[in-house]
Amino acid sequence: MSNISTPDIVATRFVGALYGESLSYQQQQYVLTNSAYLTNIMNVLYTSDFGTQTNAQVAATVVSNLGITNVGNANAATIATNVITAALNAAVAGQQGATIAGILNGFATMTGNTVFGSFATAWETKVGAADAASSVVGAGNQQLGNISTTTTFNLTTGVDILTPSSNSVINGILSSTAGASTINTFDSVIAAGSNDTFNISDTTTTLFALPPSLTLSGLTAVNVSRISGGTTTGEVAITNTTFGTGVQVLSYTDASAAAAMTAATFAATLNSATTVNVAATGTGTFTTVAVTDGSTAGTTLATVGITKASGANTLTGNAISTVNLTAATGLTTVTATAGTRALTVNVAGASGGGLTDATATTVTVNSTATAAGALGTYTTAAATTFNFNTTTATGAVTITAAAATTLNVGGSALSTLTFAGNTALATVNVSGTASLAAALTAGATAVTAL
């Protein structure tokens, strides 16, 4: 399908065919503002940039950029080159730009042509993508065959006022070195579209904090990356307005050493977040992690990931469905109102803390924990079905599921599984490899080996 020949589309075809690239945002805005003079603009550009070339040379460039080839297409490239050359030969001097634009607008309508249809269709697809990319505030010129709809903004050490539209990436630095921070007082990032990401590289030697009078709004995702070298001992508290309202995804990673995280705690309350990941990636470890769904109904937060936490973790939200625990040695507690809800817990690394969820009705634990010994205790008072999958040959797990009527155990290895505090269990299904062994202390009325 061809694009409607609006001024921006006509200009995109012209620039793409002759230069092989898209318009920048500023160029597109110039075209839209001066659309009455577009024909003159194209004629001037042609004379300035292609006036010393032969018509055949220009025709060859256009055919190449249009992607027209002879291979299996009845000499399509040769035909197109000859047609364009003839049209330029017949053009009035100084009107060659308009001639090229007319040829391109005609080519756009040939999507059903037996010889040129596939080329026209592919070309118009590129034109549409290029036009959309050019409409993003701050977009630069891009190769037409490699259009990205993502625009990157790197904040400066001065005052930055940005209003990025959709699919933007904003990069900023926090530093304790004078003049090195690019996230500063009076900076303003007001995202006007969707899918806009703010990446914060924090090299400060103090607790994470944003400067005062910083305006942030409309961000979809925020990634905070603390570099090793600073102290993170103390509480990092993220509120619903820390990064402006509306943040859907938050990632907070800290590469600090153990000595800098002797009492490091993390707490976040967000109203719009569906996913929150908190990770210690250096030798340090978080003491506790608390993530709260602050929305009115508490039904926004779905996924929480915690890497390296030694103490008790608290997750609050009525729609939490996935918890990823890596090297989490403390107990993680999910607090939610009663209701039908499935919970999946993915456990990896030296994780032995376990998890408690009093209201989830179906619970699945997938454990690839590497630590020998206790894999933790999983207490799920309302779960009627409990699924446990494990690959830890030397691990021992305790499952306390008072309401469970079905226990499914699968995987490749396990030393001991203790199923406690239950009188309702009716069926135990054991599947997986022959090396899987389960020791069940609860009385099951039926055991099925699969």
Side-chain angles (χ1 to χ4, degrees):
M1 185 178 70
S2 62
N3 300 286
I4 298 173
S5 297
T6 54
D8 53 313
I9 290 293
V10 172
T12 298
R13 290 173 182 152
F14 181 83
V15 172
L18 287 174
Y19 301 88
E21 62 184 30
S22 66
L23 296 168
S24 69
Y25 172 77
Q26 288 182 330
Q27 289 167 343
Q28 187 191 70
Q29 295 305 302
Y30 181 83
V31 166
L32 293 172
T33 302
N34 299 278
S35 59
Y37 308 102
L38 180 57
T39 298
N40 290 337
I41 293 170
M42 292 188 294
N43 285 331
V44 169
L45 285 174
Y46 186 97
T47 301
S48 174
D49 295 344
F50 299 92
T52 60
Q53 296 186 22
T54 66
N55 292 336
Q57 288 174 323
V58 174
T61 296
V62 170
V63 169
S64 176
N65 285 331
L66 292 180
I68 301 174
T69 66
N70 281 331
V71 180
N73 290 282
N75 298 318
T78 301
I79 295 171
T81 302
N82 292 337
V83 168
I84 296 171
T85 301
L88 289 173
N89 287 338
V92 176
Q95 295 296 312
Q96 290 93 337
T99 299
I100 291 294
I103 291 171
L104 296 173
N105 292 342
F107 181 62
T109 67
M110 299 177 69
T111 54
N113 186 275
T114 55
V115 176
F116 296 102
S118 61
F119 300 120
T121 299
W123 168 252
E124 283 298 288
T125 299
K126 291 181 180 180
V127 168
D131 185 61
S134 300
S135 67
V136 176
V137 176
N141 302 107
Q142 301 183 63
Q143 290 185 344
L144 208 65
N146 190 29
I147 293 295
S148 171
T149 57
T150 299
T151 302
T152 300
F153 300 90
N154 294 316
L155 298 180
T156 70
T157 55
V159 175
D160 297 294
I161 309 296
L162 298 180
T163 55
S165 55
S166 298
N167 302 313
S168 297
V169 175
I170 304 97
N171 299 316
I173 299 171
L174 292 172
S175 175
S176 294
T177 302
S181 289
T182 63
I183 303 174
N184 296 300
T185 299
F186 304 127
D187 279 353
S188 175
V189 179
I190 301 178
S194 60
N195 197 31
D196 297 306
T197 300
F198 191 18
N199 296 320
I200 301 173
S201 177
D202 184 0
T203 64
T204 61
T205 56
T206 57
L207 276 172
F208 169 75
L210 293 174
S213 300
L214 169 68
T215 301
L216 300 175
S217 176
L219 298 169
T220 302
V222 175
N223 302 312
V224 179
S225 178
R226 281 186 61 83
I227 309 303
S228 179
T231 179
T232 57
T233 294
E235 182 184 26
V236 174
I238 306 297
T239 71
N240 189 53
T241 58
T242 299
F243 307 108
T245 58
V247 174
Q248 298 174 31
V249 178
L250 172 64
S251 172
Y252 187 97
T253 62
D254 196 322
S256 297
M261 298 182 70
T262 55
T265 63
F266 178 92
T269 299
L270 297 168
N271 295 2
S272 303
T274 61
T275 303
V276 176
N277 291 307
V278 183
T281 57
T283 58
T285 300
F286 285 105
T287 304
T288 62
V289 173
V291 180
T292 300
D293 184 338
S295 64
T296 301
T299 55
T300 302
L301 183 63
T303 302
V304 179
I306 301 174
T307 298
K308 296 183 71 175
S310 60
N313 306 308
T314 304
L315 313 180
T316 303
N318 299 327
I320 296 175
S321 58
T322 302
V323 176
N324 301 313
L325 302 174
T326 302
T329 56
L331 177 67
T332 298
T333 299
V334 177
T335 301
T337 58
T340 302
R341 178 172 56 89
L343 176 68
T344 298
V345 185
N346 299 307
V347 185
S351 298
L355 179 140
T356 296
D357 188 323
T359 58
T361 50
T362 300
V363 174
T364 299
V365 176
N366 302 309
S367 177
T368 58
T370 57
L375 297 180
T377 297
Y378 295 88
T379 303
T380 57
T384 57
T385 299
F386 197 106
N387 308 304
F388 186 78
N389 303 300
T390 175
T391 60
T392 308
T394 57
V397 66
T398 298
I399 298 172
T400 302
T405 58
T406 301
L407 171 65
N408 299 311
V409 183
S412 60
L414 180 67
S415 174
T416 303
L417 187 154
T418 301
F419 196 80
N422 177 281
T423 58
L425 187 64
T427 303
V428 176
N429 299 310
V430 180
S431 62
T433 65
S435 62
L436 179 64
L440 307 176
T441 60
T445 58
V447 176
T448 305
L450 302 177

